[in-house]
Structure formats: structure tokens, C-alpha cells
Amino acid sequence: MLRRLPVRSSPGTFLAVLMSVLMFPAALPGSGPSTQGEQDSGQPAQASPESRTDAWLKKRQERALEAKPRQLSGFERRMLWIEKGGFSEVMNFNFRGLYPKFSSLSNGSGFAPGVRFGLSNQWGAHLDFQSSAALSPRGYRRIDLQIGRIQHHGQAFSLEAIGTGPVSQFDESRPKNAGLFLYADLRYRYYPQEDYFGLGPDSRREDRTNYLIEDAMYDLVNGWQINRWVGIAARVGAYKAHLGRGTDDRFPDIRELFDDTTAPGLDFQPWFFHATGALLLDNRDRPGNPHKGGMLGFSFSRFEDTSSQQFDFNRATIDGREFIPLGSEQRILALRFFTLFDAPRGGSRIPYYLQRTLGGSETLRGFREFRFMDNNLMFLSAEYRWEPAAVVELALFYDAGKAFPRRSDFGFSHLEHSYGIGIRFKTPNAVIMRLDIGRSREGQRLFFQFGPSF
Amino acid sequence: MKTYRNAWIALAWVVMLASPMPARGQKFRPDDPVRVDPDQQPVARPNPVGELSQIVDFLQNTFQNRAKGAVVPAENINTLGEVPDSSWFTNRTGLQVLTIEDLVRGPDQGAGPDTSRGWVIISAKTQGVTPGFQIRDGRGDVYFIKFDPLTNPQMATSSEVICTKLFHAMGYNVPENYLAFVRQDDIRIDPQAQVKDETGRDRPMNEKDVDNIFSRVALRMDGSVQVVASRGLPGEPMGPYLYRGVRGDDPNDIFPHENRRELRGLRLFAAWLNHDDSRSINSGTFFISQGDKGYLKHYLMDFGSCLGSGSVRIQGRRAGYEYKIEWTPILRAALSLGLWDRKWRHIPYPDFPSIGRFEARNFEPELWRPEYPNPAFERMRNDDAFWAVRILMRFTDEMIRTVVKTGRYDDKAAEEYLIQTLIKRRDKIVHHYLAEINPLDSFRVTDSPSGAALAFTNLGEQAGVAGAGAYAYQWFRFDNRSEKSDPIGAPQSVSSASIPVPRDDAPYLMVRISTTAKECPKWKKSLDVFIRQSPEKQIVGIERTP
């Protein structure tokens, strides 16, 4: 590097050379550990040959000229920020307990930003309070409020008699801890573009309509997670819905194709009193990313029409899942069986807006959301899952199911089928996101979802 | 202005000419073989790098810094292929005899934390999977305290202490890690102690936090807890070092880290001890101040994920067998619909909670892998491996037995299993790599009435890898400037480990040796030994065909 001096001979450079020489006094002639002369190869003696130590010291002098502190790239700075908890801080950003919330309210609602307010272990007791509100650009609105001893992480076992499942926390990703919970659960929804295709297995895709539902639920939830494997819960409360004209202009309003006969409850929506009891047995190894074990949930609900007795009914639900390793945890056969029976009492009917549906990202994946509904449902799903890497899972899936009016129609005939392939990205304890492509007689559907299929 | 500039240039030339002239084309320098790399020259204090992004390190080493094509030889070695003492490495075992007392003492300068007067917590980490805290002991010394996971008493702490002593004996700089036993009652909280809450904000620590930590760690029968107490390192922390490139603001750092022999050879030691977490995040650089200047000293740190321990849990099955992302097995598994399966998923392990997952039967040293590619490990050549194997061979069964006992395992069957596993893994490494290269070593010139001879040791034979049939050799006169060699006589062969040195006046002699062994064809690879004849015969160079 010294040979470069004449080329870079600015005073600054030269001063740097001098400084580096001073910095490495051992490199000065005669001061190194070994600079003894040597006569090699029978050649006449030349200038004192440089020792190895001197050569290395000289290299260090050269580097001293070019020394520059390590600069983190923008990407590296951002990654460091994430690793040091910055991401978590953003996700936990709040103003006096007020958190931003980002979610989707319903299929087709679009992205719905909102706020959440939560306080834990307040007032010197095990009393929690949480509330959230969200609004989507398509006009979907939802407000939730829970107060009491709410299940925290690992204790989740709530019942949702109306909505997505009989025991809605089946997919809780952590093992459940023993504990009691008791809380009031209040909810208001305004969903202006819900789809309706008609009742029964013969409903037609062409009959897609939409409607507005505005409802409120006032429930009390009590449960006991006895141990990691067994939990029981009860939910009682009141429910009231109001139906209106759908705001999705692409499809007709429900009243243009259906009436109160073909869409029970369309003309009149009473107040309901409802009560539900449930039992959950769960021995999955990792609930959020199961590789072996299974779970079984039972629930029984009673809905009472408090004003007209037109819509009194009972509902029984069974949800079973089994995860079978096929000689290795790399290969799993995941099975699900779900069935639901609604039993109207004394000539009553089941309001269509309280009926469970098939189709969409979790049931018949080759069909559109809300595609099939009726008094009874049956659904089977089998997934062959294999993990090329710890964080990636591929799956071949087959779904079959049907909605049927009479319990006597229960059986494996006249099932709707869909099949497909999926890719999932996971942590050891949870499925973070999945992309499933399902195919059926009605075409192909693509689903991008957070969380597992089951 | 121009006059001044010319004056500067002239002065620069004077300084340059006053420096010793480099000897052009000289293979051996007067001070070869050097025993010390003077990389502790006082330099200005660099900027602390701070923390390293694990994500970036993972991405860069997985996708960007992979070894491609021919790998250059290690650069920081002397002409014998040894690693000189430096701020990275000190020859403790390779070039000298390490006693069992030295091995057991390891880096320890004292007896560990004083437990007689209780400990005061000065900071803590209660969130996440790794609880731990920093304490001040009765003498006022500060230690970092780490625990075992609830289900595996002694696993992480004992393995940390054992591996600390072994890595130290190998020659690396490591922290002082002590086993200690403490009861919760003996711990107090400093009023200034802070912990991070769930959102990462600091708040004052309280008794509940200590309860929380002790509820998640393994208790002994007597109610005490075994911990590892790591003493703070001297100097100012300057962040971890990378296993690639050089540190831009450290003029002493002239050898790209991926070409440092002690970092390449570390692969074998890491494989032996299953140190799958051997990556930059577990290294440390400390500025040792000397007045207003100083130098950087380089450490290996954190051996909690060694042997069968995964630090906060039992070691994962993949550890040591596959990188986090490795395309071949991923594609095989993906395209075969999962029918192709990894062998490591099915390896049986004995049920020793204090050991975790560690075994020797399925261990294949050449296939061992850390968590993700390490640029230095990937560039390890057979000559680098030979250097490491020579060190590894110094660890006798007795030494291994003694060092494992410093882990103070309560389960004696587990202790014996660990000893035997380490012995078997050591033997597997030694056998594999000694078969890959001509394993002659310990060259020395002996004099006898019949003339001088070059004696050596066949490490392969010594380790029982194979028996040598013969040693074919050819002597040369060697020109140190032109690096040309001129044969002396005809090629010859001997059956013993001693080759007669020809009478010749050349300043340098070179002998090229290849070893014939039926079971080890790779011993035929040539090995050149250089002898400087004046003032007395001295081995100055050894070059091995990798």
C-alpha cells in the first residue's frame, strides 16, 4: 500500500500515514520482533528482507488509512428494530389502553380498521374490560364489549352461539390453562352486504342475492377450563336482529328472489332468548399447529322466540378433528367431521340468518362463502399435510358436505365435493397464514387467510 | 501550495524508503514460522457495532455468503500451518501440553460468585422464553445468571460450563462461566432494578417478577436452583464479529474472518460439541483499553445450545443435521409429497433430561451443520480440518471424563453417557478427517552418527485409522526467492517414520512425502516439508495438499 503514497499524496493522506506509523511503532525499522538479515539461495545480500511480522504490521498500517466504521444498511436497521421489539411495540401501540385494530369483519366486508380498548386485572381484582369497534369501507360496522373475568391467553374457551361456531375458540393456538371465567359479552353488528343463495342442497349459484343484517347480542358467559384437556362452558343471553335491503348493487336484494317462505324470518325478526352448553376435549399436541392428537367438541343450544313462538328451535353440534402422523411428523393426515342439527319445535322454523353455512375458506373450499345453508349440515374434510421445511406446510385437501332440510337426509349421499391444494406458513406453535386453492363443480376459489383451516 | 505538496511527497518517499524493503518472491521470511500475530497494536477506539440483526445474518449467510468454487487456503497461519497466538486465539492445546488442572480451571480467574451473603438483582429479563438476570454478589462482582428449563434440570447450565472449558482449552477466548446454586430466599432486588414489561417498556422490578422467573426454572431436591453465572468480560463491548470479511474500523483485523483457520477449524469443535448455535450473535468483541488507545479482543460466547441442550428447551432434532433452509431436502420432501423423509427425524435418544438430545451413533462429522451456513465453516478445507483434529486428539478420554464431571450431574448414568458420547464423537471426527489427508505430523530433525534424519509421527496410525505401508519421498533443493525446486537424487521409499536428510549445502531443502496405505488412498496426497539449513537445521514450512 505504501507504493500508493505518491498517487494519494494529499497532506491529509500523508498525515494519516504518519499517524499510522505512530500507531504501529513496532512496524518501524528495527523495532519489529524479527528483522534479522538473511542470505538466501546463494544470492548476494540485498536490502534487509521484510519479516512476516513486519509484513502483517504493514498491512495493518494500510488498513488504518482506510478504516471506516461499519454502517448498518437501512434494511439491517429495520430488521434490528423488529428484533429489538419495535414491531411488538407498534403492535402494542396504545394511548391509555386504546389500541388500533385491523381485521376483516365478514366475508366480503373488506379490510376494517378500528380501535380496541382493554384493561386487565383492574380494580384490585380479576376483572377485565375490553371493547372494540371497527368500520369497513363497505359500510360494515361492529362493536364488541366484554367485562368480567375474561379468558386470557391459553384459557380461551368461549361459546359463540351465533356466528362462526358452536365453540368458537377451537383454534386457540396455545395449550389451555386451567381456570374459571365469567363475563358479560355484548355485541352490535351492521353488515349491509351478506350473501344469500337460498336454502337446501339445490340452491343455485345464479340466485345470489344480498341483504343487510343489523343485530345485537347481550350474553353472559361462564366457563371452567378444568385442565389442559377438558373444558366446559355455558352462554345465555338475548338476541335481536333487524333485516334490511342489501347495499351490494352487483346482486339483487334478497326480497327480489326470495320471500319469507324461501328465506324464513325475512318478514319478522323476533327477540330471542338463547342458552348454550358445551364440552370440549382436546389432546392435540400443539393446538395452533397440531401434528398428533385430536379434539372433540359438543354443544347444545336452545333458542326461544320470546314474542311469536314462530322460531323456537334447538341446535346440537358436533365438531371432531383428528391429526394422525403417517410414520413421521413430517406427514400428517388431518381429518375433520362437523355436523349440526337444528330441531324446530312445534311447527316453528329456523330463521335463515341464524343458520350455519357451507362454502368458503374453512368448509367447502371450491364454493363461495354462504353457498349452502339449511336446518342441518354435515361436513367432512381430509387434508394430507406434509412439511418440506419447518416453516412451510403443503397440503392436498378434499372437502365434502351438504346442507339438508330433514334429519333423515343425514348420510353420505348427495354430498357436494371440492378439492385443492394449499401452502401454509407456520411457526412451531401456530399457522400464520395460508393460501388454499379449491376446486368444485362451480369453479375455482382462491383463499388467502390468516390462521389454520382446522 | 504546489511547493508544499511536493515537500509532502518527498517526505513520504523518505519515510517509505526508510522502511525495510519487501523481499520479492521470498517464500520464507526471516522470522518464519511466526508464533505470534501482532494484532494487538494500539488503535483508536472503534465505534461499537451494537447488536447484530439475526435476520440479516441468517439471510446473508444462507443466500449470499456461500462458498463457491475453489476455496483459498487459510490466511492467518504461519508457514507450518499453525495459527499464531492473537487476539482471537491462544495455543493452549495444539502446541503445548495442557494439563487436566488447566483444563478444569479453564478461563476462570476466581471461584465464581460469592453466595455467602446473598445476591442482589440489578436487572432482569422476565419476558420471553429465556428468563435470566444480572446480579451483584457479596463481593460486589457482577454476573449474568442463566437457568435450566423447567423440564430439564442441569441440561443447559452444565453443558454451558463444560463447553466453556473445552473451547477455552482448544484456544478460544471465552467468558468465565461458573456453576452456582442459589435459593430464591437468598436473592434481593436492587431498588433501581428494572424489567421490561409485555410491551418492551422498562418498569421497576418486584417480587412477583422473581416468583415468575423461579416458577419457570428447574428446582433441585433441596429447593435450590443450579445456575450458570457468567462474569462480565473485561473491556468495552463492541458488538459481535461476523464470520465473513473484516471489521472496517479495526486496522488490526487484516484477515477475512472466513479465511481464519481457527474459525474454519471451529467447525469441527462445534460438530464435536453439537454447538449448532455457532454464529455471529454468539460472539463478542471487546475493546481492551491501553491508555487512550487499545485493541479488540474476540470471544466465543453463550454455549447454552451445545451437546443435547437447546438452551431454553431440549435440543431440536434438526440441530446438527440440516440448516434452517436447505434446498435439497426441502425440494425432495416437497416433490415427493412428503414420502421422502429426513433420517434425523427418527433418531432415537436416551431419556436423560439433564443431557437432552445428544448421541454419537448417527453422528457423521462431515455432514454436521450449524443452524444456518457459517461462511468460515463452509470454507473449511482438509488442511484446516487437520489443524483442528490435531487439537482434538489432545483431549484424552481422561480429560473428557474430568471436564464432564465439572458439570456436576446428579444423574451418574447421564454423566457416563455424556462422557462416552463425547469420546465416540471425537473418535469419529478424528477417523474421518485423518483419512482425508496425508496425516504426518510432528516433524523434527534428528541427528545420529549416520547423519541427520527427518522424523515424524503418523497421526492416522496413532489414531488407529490405518497402517502405513510405506512413505515415498523425494528431496529437493529449494530456492527461497524463485520458489523453484531442484531434485536431489531419485525418489525413494522407507517403511519407518524417519527419512534420511541428504548432505547438501542448499540453504533450503524440501522433501515431498506421500504415504501408502491400503485403507486410506487419500494419504497419497503429497505433503511438502521445508528445512532451513542455517544456522541449524530447522523445519520452517509444511504444506499439505488438502
Side-chain angles (χ1 to χ4, degrees), chain A residues 229-244:
Chain A
W229 301 280
V230 183
I232 53 174
R235 175 186 283 263
V236 294
Y239 174 81
K240 173 77 169 91
H242 165 75
L243 303 180

Side-chain angles (χ1 to χ4, degrees), chain B residues 104 255 331 340 345 367 412 421 517:
Chain B
V104 169
F255 302 113
L331 290 174
W340 177 85
R345 283 188 193 271
L367 300 179
K412 293 302 163 195
T421 304

Side-chain angles (χ1 to χ4, degrees), chain B residues 50-323:
Chain B
E51 290 175 68
L52 173 81
S53 164
Q54 296 185 56
I55 298 171
V56 172
D57 193 53
F58 163 71
L59 292 175
Q60 287 183 333
N61 289 345
T62 300
F63 300 109
Q64 190 180 325
N65 301 317
R66 307 302 296 269
K68 290 172 196 149
V71 174
V72 299
E75 293 183 39
N76 68 318
I77 52 175
N78 66 18
T79 47
L80 296 177
E82 303 291 348
V83 175
D85 291 348
S86 68
S87 64
W88 297 73
F89 186 83
T90 305
N91 285 282
R92 299 192 180 99
T93 316
L95 297 178
Q96 52 192 301
V97 177
L98 183 84
T99 65
I100 285 186
E101 290 73 31
D102 292 335
L103 173 63
V104 169
R105 190 184 317 110
D108 301 350
Q109 301 291 312
D114 173 19
T115 52
S116 64
R117 282 170 282 181
W119 292 352
V120 178
I121 298 178
I122 53 179
S123 71
K125 179 174 177 257
T126 62
Q127 301 297 325
V129 288
T130 332
F133 45 67
Q134 202 174 8
I135 59 110
R136 194 168 47 240
D137 73 351
R139 288 189 291 264
D141 294 332
V142 172
Y143 291 86
F144 296 94
I145 303 297
K146 289 191 286 185
F147 301 88
D148 288 302
L150 195 57
T151 51
N152 296 80
Q154 299 193 295
M155 182 185 71
T157 51
S158 294
S159 84
E160 175 120 25
V161 166
I162 292 168
C163 292
T164 299
K165 293 179 190 302
L166 288 170
F167 278 114
H168 180 263
M170 290 161 192
Y172 298 93
N173 300 320
V174 294
E176 293 176 49
N177 287 328
Y178 300 91
L179 275 190
F181 302 90
V182 66
R183 291 169 189 277
Q184 188 175 352
D185 298 344
D186 298 331
I187 291 180
R188 288 173 291 124
I189 303 170
D190 187 293
Q192 305 298 319
Q194 298 271 310
V195 290
K196 288 197 184 301
D197 66 12
E198 288 173 358
T199 60
R201 297 193 179 92
D202 287 329
R203 64 164 172 77
M205 189 174 184
N206 58 42
E207 291 294 338
K208 269 190 180 174
D209 296 317
V210 181
D211 291 344
N212 177 22
I213 290 175
F214 274 80
S215 70
R216 293 155 59 198
V217 300
L219 288 179
R220 292 161 62 82
M221 295 291 279
D222 64 359
S224 67
V225 174
Q226 176 174 311
V227 301
V228 63
S230 189
R231 191 167 184 182
L233 286 164
E236 188 184 349
M238 289 285 148
Y241 59 78
L242 301 176
Y243 280 87
R244 61 182 187 277
V246 293
R247 183 169 172 138
D249 55 359
D250 178 13
N252 281 316
D253 193 12
I254 58 173
F255 302 113
H257 302 171
E258 69 274 24
N259 295 337
R260 297 192 71 97
R261 177 155 282 177
E262 71 274 21
L263 294 188
R264 288 181 175 186
L266 178 61
R267 183 190 181 282
L268 290 201
F269 305 135
W272 182 36
L273 303 176
N274 203 27
H275 184 24
D276 69 314
D277 220 9
S278 41
R279 53 193 173 125
S280 294
I281 195 76
N282 290 323
S283 71
T285 310
F286 289 80
F287 184 66
I288 309 297
S289 180
Q290 297 171 326
D292 57 344
K293 292 190 173 170
Y295 67 92
L296 292 181
K297 191 169 179 180
H298 305 84
Y299 285 84
L300 295 181
M301 301 164 73
D302 199 347
F303 307 114
S305 185
C306 278
L307 308 178
S309 166
S311 196
V312 296
R313 61 180 70 86
I314 188 170
Q315 186 62 281
R317 287 186 174 275
R318 180 178 55 80
Y321 290 98
E322 191 177 312
Y323 295 133

